[in-house]
Amino acid sequence: MTGTITLTDHEAIRDWAAARAGFPAIVDVSPEAGTQPMLRLVFGQNAYEDDDRPERPPNAGGYELVEWDEWFRIFDEQKLALVVAADEPGRREEFHQIIRR
């Protein structure tokens, strides 16, 4: 990996994720459901949700796929940025890190 780029523009983030078949997701890391969401991007097979899996409490771990609007609302409220690997010819790195601006 040669370097990184920091993204805050919503369209640039969507484009970066789409080029890697990435989807927005939220993990609830709080002791009570819905109080402390943590953003994630999920790629490939991990983005497929199994409709047959049993119901579980929202804060039981794992992630929930969400719409971009909801993901970006939290992204902006928490003043976050997405650090990604700089593109190299012939490679599509999925490396990313969500940080505070």
Side-chain angles (χ1 to χ4, degrees):
M1 189 168 67
T2 57
T4 60
I5 299 169
T6 302
L7 304 174
T8 56
D9 178 74
H10 293 189
E11 204 57 40
I13 292 169
R14 272 187 222 224
D15 290 347
W16 182 88
R20 291 155 181 81
F23 297 90
I26 295 177
V27 176
D28 189 350
V29 294
S30 62
E32 295 179 32
T35 59
Q36 190 175 355
M38 180 176 71
L39 299 181
R40 283 191 57 190
L41 292 174
V42 183
F43 300 92
Q45 286 295 111
N46 294 323
Y48 293 104
E49 290 188 308
D50 184 1
D51 292 335
D52 294 335
R53 93 179 146 189
E55 284 296 315
R56 60 185 179 169
N59 59 338
Y63 58 85
E64 175 186 353
L65 295 179
V66 295
E67 296 295 324
W68 279 112
D69 290 342
E70 182 178 358
W71 197 89
F72 282 125
R73 180 185 56 75
I74 296 167
F75 184 83
D76 291 337
E77 283 175 359
Q78 294 184 2
K79 296 180 175 42
L80 301 174
L82 180 68
V83 177
V84 300
D87 284 337
E88 295 180 34
R91 295 189 66 174
R92 290 258 182 202
E93 291 284 337
E94 290 180 2
F95 166 80
H96 67 285
Q97 186 175 21
I98 299 171
I99 62 167
R100 295 219 180 263
R101 293 181 203 171

